[in-house]
Amino acid sequence: MPVRVPGLFTLVLHTHLPWLAHHGRWPVGEEWLYQSWAASYLPLLRVLRTLAAEGRQSVVSLGLTPVVTAQLDDPYCLDGMQHWLANWQLRALEATTLRNQEALRDFGSREHAEAGRALEEFDTLWRHGAGPLVRQLIDAGTVELLGGPLAHPFQPLLPPRLREFALGEGLADARQRFAHTPTGIWAPECAYAPGMEQGYAAAGVGHFMVDGPSLHGDTALGRPVGDSGVVAFGRDLKVSYRVWSPKSGYPGHPAYRDFHTYDHTTGLKPARVTGRNVPSEEKAPYDPQRADAAVDRHVADFVDVVRRRLISESERIGRPAHVVAAFDTELFGHWWYEGPVWLERVLRALPAAGVQLGTLRDATAAGFVGTPVQLPPSSWGSGKDWQVWNGEQVSDLVQLNVEVVDTALAAVDKALEQSATPGAPSPRDFVADQILRETLLTVSSDWPFMVSKDSAADYARYRAHLHAHATREIAGALASGRRDAAQRLAQGWNRADGLFGALDARRLPRP
């Protein structure tokens, strides 16, 4: 039996995509959703269901943003996903018929089997969306659910009223979908501004994630923020970066499937990385056995890294330490094809090697909490500050957001005031609801991130301005006394942006 190492290890996964339904297909749009669903969400849920069936508990703290779960439960998206999986199967079948391309035919056979498995699993288990599947994992104690605010806004740049509303509605959305209200959140972009912990405490949030530098690199224990009692857990970069960093990590190994190299006939990805500077046309064919051996080596390496880190950090602080490794869920499968297999093996190998697994909630309950701390303004973006979301490159979006939010709040306040009846409950206001829905989509942190990183920047700016236009159009009709026109406009925009059906403008804090 391996010697048990001191302390606790927590794996945190952050699952998020912006609202993509009804907003383009290729190269950016719904295709992004379906690729991530097929490559990451399906296999991740398969892994977690397998571990749950074995009675394993407290395996992972799983962050699911309201905007991604809205899509994974949406009938339109479920239908689109089924069509996408069937198309994947057909493309793989086509690859098996190509002449004079033996390697691609063999690859197509494997892809055809994998697509068939995914399609059968989707039809059998996902008929009613992700909600029931995730709830089973929460009920089994296999995962801790981490929530977040609606539409993933960069919270430090929001006025307090909208920040409070987005968080409260996001937690309510999770409660409605999963019959569980998260007590922990993955703050969008790990973004923090002084004072936000008070809002968390008021919303019933007891712990949240920040990046390691926010705690000055000392992530060995969670830290209460000020006198709030709300605990900030920091990502251990020495461990997390072993898997994936801006410059290196396991997915770049020559044996793994190359994400960027396509067969343009079938749209499949039949090559392996081969080498860092090898051009796509010279990439070697993918070899599953070679990749599988690399997975085992990287599992062993990661287990060794975690063991050594727990031992060294425990010695440094003079008590059992807590190590948190945190990643975007989409890394596992979408960006790194072998990621889900690595994940399942590492979650078995760590306990077998004497490492105790636990969630962030477990860490709090077990006392892996240090002395209070004051956190600086921070994020997990470049520079660990706010520059990705409020830098010069996105100053136009920052100004757009300020103007749209001011317009929206004024319009909603007026709408609710008009509909109020003294001595009686105010009725639900569909127009006010849609104004807030479009506003939250406008201020999604995804748009400035994509611009700053030059990743589909034109699409990101288009989306931000589209939702800003919707907000202004509805609010303008309302402000000019054309309530019927505002109602028609709200209904029209709702056909594309009808997510968060329980969003209720009446819960917006009053000015």
Side-chain angles (χ1 to χ4, degrees):
M1 291 292 291
V3 176
R4 180 171 172 176
V5 298
L8 183 74
F9 173 76
T10 298
L11 176 68
V12 183
L13 298 177
H14 173 55
T15 312
H16 171 67
L17 289 174
W19 177 246
L20 299 166
H22 311 287
H23 290 289
R25 291 292 299 239
W26 177 268
V28 185
E30 292 178 15
E31 180 73 14
W32 185 8
L33 169 65
Y34 301 139
Q35 285 184 358
S36 299
W37 202 333
S40 293
Y41 308 151
L42 277 172
L44 174 64
L45 266 291
R46 185 186 306 142
V47 167
L48 293 176
R49 284 172 58 82
T50 299
L51 297 175
E54 296 172 3
R56 296 177 185 260
Q57 295 189 316
S58 296
V59 169
V60 63
S61 289
L62 180 62
L64 293 167
T65 66
V67 71
V68 79
T69 55
Q71 292 172 99
L72 300 184
D73 283 346
D74 187 90
Y76 171 85
C77 295
L78 289 165
D79 183 64
M81 181 59 182
Q82 186 178 50
H83 283 82
W84 192 94
L85 290 172
N87 180 262
W88 174 27
Q89 190 177 43
L90 288 173
R91 289 186 287 114
L93 181 62
E94 181 183 7
T96 67
T97 67
L98 297 176
R99 297 180 180 180
N100 303 319
Q101 298 190 53
E102 183 178 353
L104 187 56
R105 288 201 307 271
D106 291 343
F107 181 84
S109 295
R110 294 192 300 270
E111 282 281 290
H112 186 266
E114 187 173 347
R117 177 190 185 188
L119 191 56
E120 181 180 4
E121 190 174 273
F122 186 79
D123 287 342
T124 304
L125 298 176
W126 290 74
R127 187 182 302 270
H128 301 293
L133 299 177
V134 174
R135 180 175 176 178
Q136 290 171 7
L137 295 172
I138 300 169
D139 289 343
T142 304
V143 306
E144 174 200 11
L145 176 67
L146 301 181
L150 291 182
H152 211 255
F154 193 81
Q155 295 182 106
L157 300 182
L158 292 186
R161 292 176 65 202
L162 190 59
R163 185 193 301 170
E164 179 182 340
F165 177 78
L167 179 59
E169 294 294 291
L171 297 175
D173 184 84
R175 180 170 61 250
Q176 184 179 52
R177 292 185 194 279
F178 309 119
H180 290 268
T181 303
T183 57
I185 68 167
W186 180 291
E189 316 298 357
C190 290
Y192 172 81
M196 281 174 52
E197 69 278 1
Q198 299 299 333
Y200 290 160
V205 172
H207 54 274
F208 67 105
M209 282 292 302
V210 296
D211 209 2
S214 299
L215 291 172
H216 309 290
D218 187 355
T219 58
L221 296 170
R223 304 288 291 277
V225 183
D227 60 359
S228 67
V230 178
V231 178
F233 287 101
R235 190 170 65 128
D236 188 314
L237 296 189
K238 287 191 175 182
V239 175
S240 299
Y241 278 3
R242 190 72 174 189
V243 178
W244 184 247
S245 77
K247 296 183 179 180
S248 65
Y250 301 149
H253 189 275
Y256 291 144
R257 185 180 295 187
D258 187 73
F259 176 81
H260 300 285
T261 302
Y262 284 87
D263 169 65
H264 293 288
T265 301
T266 62
L268 303 179
K269 300 177 181 179
R272 60 184 176 91
V273 172
T274 310
R276 182 181 294 270
N277 298 314
V278 177
S280 293
E281 63 274 12
E282 297 178 17
K283 299 279 188 180
Y286 183 68
D287 182 341
Q289 286 73 36
R290 185 191 295 259
D292 197 64
V295 169
D296 283 338
R297 290 195 297 274
H298 289 145
V299 167
D301 178 76
F302 187 75
V303 170
D304 181 60
V305 167
V306 171
R307 282 179 56 89
R308 287 190 284 108
R309 185 65 167 166
L310 281 169
I311 291 169
S312 64
E313 286 292 89
S314 297
E315 290 175 349
R316 181 179 66 83
I317 66 174
R319 57 178 286 192
H322 182 216
V323 167
V324 180
F327 310 97
D328 284 334
T329 297
E330 295 75 24
L331 171 66
F332 299 95
H334 181 51
W335 298 104
W336 177 22
Y337 172 75
E338 297 79 8
V341 174
W342 179 89
L343 203 59
E344 180 171 0
R345 292 181 188 176
V346 90
L347 289 172
R348 297 181 189 279
L350 284 165
V355 174
Q356 182 182 356
L357 299 181
T359 63
L360 298 180
R361 183 172 56 212
D362 294 331
T364 303
F368 287 94
V369 179
T371 56
V373 66
Q374 299 294 334
L375 298 178
S378 54
S379 77
W380 76 338
S382 302
K384 307 304 180 185
D385 54 17
W386 299 350
Q387 62 181 285
V388 171
W389 297 274
N390 76 343
E392 183 63 31
Q393 196 171 358
V394 292
S395 59
D396 59 320
L397 294 183
V398 173
Q399 185 59 37
L400 177 74
N401 289 350
V402 170
E403 293 172 0
V404 167
V405 167
D406 287 348
T407 297
L409 294 180
V412 169
D413 288 341
K414 181 177 180 180
L416 295 178
E417 182 181 330
Q418 290 174 344
S419 62
T421 302
S426 298
R428 183 86 175 267
D429 192 319
F430 180 83
V431 172
D433 291 348
Q434 192 63 29
I435 289 172
L436 287 179
R437 195 172 281 116
E438 297 293 347
T439 301
L440 288 167
L441 290 172
T442 303
V443 301
S444 166
S445 71
D446 298 280
W447 316 137
F449 176 86
M450 293 166 69
V451 171
S452 291
K453 297 298 182 181
D454 196 23
S455 173
D458 289 344
Y459 177 84
R461 279 203 160 91
Y462 163 75
R463 288 292 305 276
H465 283 276
L466 179 71
H467 298 298
H469 170 71
T471 305
R472 289 164 169 161
E473 189 175 47
I474 304 168
L478 195 64
S480 63
R482 296 178 294 128
R483 163 62 78 157
D484 289 346
Q487 181 76 19
R488 289 193 299 273
L489 288 167
Q491 289 171 339
W493 285 106
N494 185 263
R495 281 194 285 272
D497 303 325
L499 70 169
F500 309 141
L503 178 153
D504 191 339
R506 293 175 298 180
R507 292 194 286 264
L508 178 71
R510 309 310 298 155

